[in-house]
Every structure is written in structure tokens, then in C-alpha cells.
Amino acid sequence: MSKRSVADLKIGEKAIIKAFSDKWLSLKLLEMGCLPGTEVCLHCKAPLGDPICINVAGYCLSMRKSEAAVIIVE
């Protein structure tokens, strides 16, 4: 079974943060409020698909798709 990440979500789809695949980038994401167990929802994507905007912990957070691919969800 493959791991899904925030980058794999469709617009409006919700998921729960499970883990991070990159140790160093996870520190940055934790500081931005992407905590394990938190619900995230893909809000929108730029016209070419990158960057993306997610709703997490009650606010909108924009990030590169490569950063979103680090966030493993279930």
C-alpha cells in the first residue's frame, strides 16, 4: 500500500496528518502548525498546480507541492 501525501489530495478533500517523510523539513512544517493528528483540507491550487493552499488548524497555509509531498496523511 502506497503512502498518500498532502500533494495527492484533491481540492476539498480532507485527511489527517500521520507523519513526515523528511526529518529536516518536518521541523519547518511543525512550526507552521502541521502537527500529527491535525486535519488538513486542500483548499486550492495555482493554475499550474504549484504552489497549493491547505487549511490547517483554522488558517490557510500556502506551500510548494514538493513540501506538501513530505506530509504523509491517512
Side-chain angles (χ1 to χ4, degrees):
M1 184 176 190
S2 64
K3 295 179 182 176
R4 290 188 65 210
S5 71
V6 170
D8 299 324
L9 296 178
K10 294 178 173 52
I11 293 177
E13 187 176 4
K14 296 178 181 179
I16 303 294
I17 296 173
K18 185 177 177 185
F20 303 99
S21 62
D22 183 303
K23 178 182 173 183
W24 301 108
L25 192 54
S26 68
L27 294 174
K28 176 182 174 182
L29 295 168
L30 288 167
E31 290 174 350
M32 293 192 297
C34 295
L35 304 172
T38 304
E39 182 179 89
V40 295
C41 177
L42 182 58
H43 180 67
C44 60
K45 294 181 179 181
L48 296 177
D50 196 13
I52 66 170
C53 179
I54 61 172
N55 288 329
V56 59
Y59 63 92
C60 290
L61 178 63
S62 294
M63 65 177 59
R64 295 181 184 107
K65 200 169 182 178
S66 61
E67 295 170 329
V70 170
I71 306 171
I72 307 300
V73 295
E74 58 183 8

